[in-house]
Amino acid sequence: MEDVIEMLRERNEPVPVPLELPDEDLLIEIEEAVFVSLPDDLRDYLMQVSDVVCGHLEPVTVSDPNSHTYLPEMAAVAWSLGMPRKYLPICEANGGFYCIRQDGAILFWDEKTSKEGWDNIWLWAKDVWLAD
C-alpha cells in the first residue's frame, strides 16, 4: 500500500484548485448518504490519496459534492444502470465502473458483465490507474 501511495504522490499533477482530503466525519456523512459502509481499503484511499490527479482516469472523491467524481452521485448513476447495490463504484471507465465489494476486492462492472480483477484497491491503482 505505501509504495502505491508514494507512486501516486510522485505522479500527482498540479491543478488550479486541488481537492482536500476528507476526515473521518465526512466519511461518516458519505456512508449515511449512500446507506452503505465504506470498505476499509476505500476509506484508506479516500483519506490518503483521493486528492491525486494523474492520467485520464478519475477515481471517486468525496470532498466536493459538485464534482463529477463525487461518490454519492457516481453510486446513484451506477446503481440506476443496474450495478448491484452491494458494490460501490471507484471509477467510471470504458462504459462501466470499476467497483469495490465489501471484502475490498475490485471488479469491473458494466451492463453486460462483471469481471473479477484485483484483490484490493491498491493493486487496482498500480495495475490500472498508474498504468494509465
Side-chain angles (χ1 to χ4, degrees):
M1 174 174 109
E2 295 302 322
D3 60 325
V4 175
I5 290 171
E6 186 177 321
M7 287 187 280
L8 286 167
R9 287 276 164 222
E10 287 172 4
R11 295 221 7 228
N12 191 20
E13 300 167 12
V15 293
V17 182
L19 287 174
E20 294 181 17
L21 291 172
D23 59 15
E24 193 65 36
D25 290 339
L26 180 55
L27 294 185
I28 291 169
E29 288 178 31
I30 296 300
E31 287 177 326
E32 290 171 352
V34 298
F35 300 106
V36 177
S37 294
L38 301 177
D40 291 341
D41 278 352
L42 181 56
R43 293 178 85 79
D44 290 341
Y45 154 78
L46 290 167
M47 292 186 75
Q48 296 186 53
V49 293
S50 63
D51 62 335
V52 168
V53 174
C54 74
H56 78 276
L57 290 178
E58 298 178 281
V60 71
T61 61
V62 294
S63 296
D64 181 1
N66 297 312
S67 174
H68 64 284
T69 58
Y70 187 58
L71 177 57
E73 182 62 29
M74 190 182 290
V77 169
W79 293 333
S80 75
L81 293 173
M83 187 177 84
R85 286 190 57 92
K86 63 184 178 181
Y87 304 145
L88 282 171
I90 60 166
C91 187
E92 187 173 1
N94 304 318
F97 296 87
Y98 291 101
C99 49
I100 189 166
R101 297 187 321 211
Q102 282 299 314
D103 66 2
I106 306 296
L107 57 107
F108 181 79
W109 179 92
D110 66 21
E111 293 181 52
K112 299 175 191 129
T113 186
S114 65
K115 294 184 253 182
E116 297 296 319
W118 302 266
D119 290 338
N120 60 60
I121 200 166
W122 306 109
L123 292 173
W124 172 85
K126 187 175 181 182
D127 290 350
V128 178
W129 192 13
L130 285 166
D132 174 41

